[in-house]
Amino acid sequence: MKSLNSIVSEIRLMEDKVSRETSGLIDEAYQMTLYLKELLHTAREYILREGFKDQTEEIEFFRDIKPQILGKLIYYNKVFRIETVCPVKDGKMYQKFFTSQLQVLKQEFKEQICGSHFYRYYRSGRTDRDQEYFMRGKINYRDGLKSYVFEIDHRFSTYYDSKAARIMANDLIYTYLISKINPEESRTSLLGDAESTKDIFWTDSKNALIELIYALYASGVISHGKIGIRKITLVFQVIFRIPLGDIHHSFHRMKERAGTRTAFLDHLRNSLEQYMDKGL
């Protein structure tokens, strides 16, 4: 069975590939939905055929690996459904539509996720009840679970792995809807008071920033590698108030550079070493 890092890396590479090759968000969400559905099916076939070597492997799969796949699948399917029924591309009706979608999401979060014992357990990073939550055949029906528990495939679900996936998907969908409703609100939430951060801006080339973004993305050092290149790029665009355009095209031009392909990262390393030497 593949490790969590391997699965996350595989999904990131596919997100990057699909984002480059598709014409818009609808097609991108559709292609990722198909890919993740097949990946989940492949994982299921493997588990039913091979099983787990021990409890640790089973817990890791249902706590981390399956929710990573299923959470992204729920997210992309939701984006596809929203985008395909969006009435217009701009204006008051557009704003009203996405605002209503956000209200639905908040209501679902309040009714289905927030306040549960499992939500607090999962968010706090606890592991003391992992054997109960993330091993098959451990469901406690005295907890008054949703009737969905009777519909799941108990050979490939612990019930709570789906809960974890929903929490992950909810975070992704929330960010997507906020960026649709009001990009300026995203900037405010990240930067706080605009007046106090107006002197923060990027002074090197756009290609240099794109090189840095891809390095952080490829290394998986942001949010354990669980967010895509689009979201990381959005954060940097917001922080430095700089539009980066088609970053994928720029990145592929970097790959074809003569000489070093990591000119900016090399510059950062040299600058840091020189700075360190000053203190000797």
Side-chain angles (χ1 to χ4, degrees), residues 143-171:
D143 287 342
L145 306 176
K146 300 283 187 180
S147 59
Y148 167 73
V149 70
F150 303 113
E151 302 172 16
I152 63 175
D153 182 352
H154 292 272
R155 298 172 301 169
F156 189 61
S157 179
T158 70
Y159 177 74
Y160 289 100
D161 59 89
S162 298
K163 293 285 188 182
R166 290 280 175 183
I167 293 170
M168 184 181 299
N170 188 84
D171 290 346

Side-chain angles (χ1 to χ4, degrees), residues 22-269:
T22 51
S23 58
L25 190 53
I26 291 177
D27 192 22
E28 179 181 344
Y30 176 70
Q31 294 298 332
M32 284 303 302
T33 298
L34 294 181
Y35 162 74
L36 290 162
K37 179 177 179 294
E38 182 60 28
L39 183 60
L40 189 65
H41 174 74
T42 301
R44 178 182 181 276
E45 292 299 305
Y46 178 87
I47 296 304
L48 295 186
R49 183 179 68 252
E50 303 292 337
F52 300 103
K53 63 182 181 182
D54 53 32
Q55 291 185 357
T56 300
E57 187 177 63
E58 181 172 359
I59 289 172
E60 181 190 17
F61 178 80
F62 288 113
R63 183 189 61 210
D64 301 320
I65 297 176
K66 186 185 173 187
Q68 181 69 213
I69 302 171
L70 182 57
K72 285 287 184 76
L73 176 57
I74 294 170
Y75 163 68
Y76 279 111
N77 184 58
K78 184 67 172 181
V79 169
F80 178 79
R81 290 169 56 196
I82 291 174
E83 290 286 333
T84 51
V85 297
C86 181
V88 290
K89 293 185 177 180
D90 206 350
K92 292 183 178 180
M93 188 181 293
Y94 177 92
Q95 294 288 328
K96 184 176 181 180
F97 171 76
F98 280 102
T99 299
S100 68
Q101 292 292 324
L102 182 60
Q103 292 305 315
V104 170
L105 181 70
K106 288 180 177 179
Q107 188 62 31
E108 290 176 350
F109 173 76
K110 182 178 179 180
E111 294 177 354
Q112 302 176 20
I113 300 176
C114 176
S116 69
H117 292 294
F118 176 74
Y119 180 74
R120 292 192 292 272
Y121 175 87
Y122 184 79
R123 282 300 196 201
S124 66
R126 288 168 53 190
T127 59
D128 53 290
R129 297 182 66 182
D130 278 1
Q131 287 190 341
E132 175 185 344
Y133 287 138
F134 299 115
M135 289 187 65
R136 295 166 298 178
K138 302 288 186 178
I139 296 174
N140 184 358
Y141 293 96
R142 291 181 181 274
D143 287 342
L145 306 176
K146 300 283 187 180
S147 59
Y148 167 73
V149 70
F150 303 113
E151 302 172 16
I152 63 175
D153 182 352
H154 292 272
R155 298 172 301 169
F156 189 61
S157 179
T158 70
Y159 177 74
Y160 289 100
D161 59 89
S162 298
K163 293 285 188 182
R166 290 280 175 183
I167 293 170
M168 184 181 299
N170 188 84
D171 290 346
L172 294 170
I173 296 167
Y174 178 80
T175 300
Y176 155 74
L177 291 174
I178 288 296
S179 68
K180 285 286 187 176
I181 294 169
N182 188 358
E184 291 301 322
E185 185 174 334
S186 299
R187 292 185 177 89
T188 300
S189 64
L190 279 171
L191 298 174
D193 178 37
E195 183 66 23
S196 65
T197 59
K198 66 180 181 180
D199 57 342
I200 300 176
F201 51 93
W202 185 257
T203 54
D204 209 307
S205 69
K206 290 185 179 181
N207 280 345
L209 183 55
I210 291 171
E211 186 178 325
L212 176 61
I213 290 170
Y214 263 94
L216 295 171
Y217 169 69
S219 61
V221 296
I222 298 178
S223 300
H224 302 290
K226 295 181 181 180
I227 62 174
I229 191 72
R230 285 184 181 275
K231 190 170 182 180
I232 297 174
T233 302
L234 173 62
V235 170
F236 277 88
Q237 289 181 130
V238 169
I239 291 174
F240 296 118
R241 298 179 176 86
I242 179 174
L244 294 176
D246 186 351
I247 65 167
H248 302 297
H249 183 64
S250 299
F251 176 68
H252 282 279
R253 287 203 308 270
M254 292 177 195
K255 291 168 65 176
E256 297 170 359
R257 285 173 177 167
T260 179
R261 297 186 295 176
T262 56
F264 182 65
L265 295 179
D266 294 342
H267 168 68
L268 289 181
R269 184 190 62 196

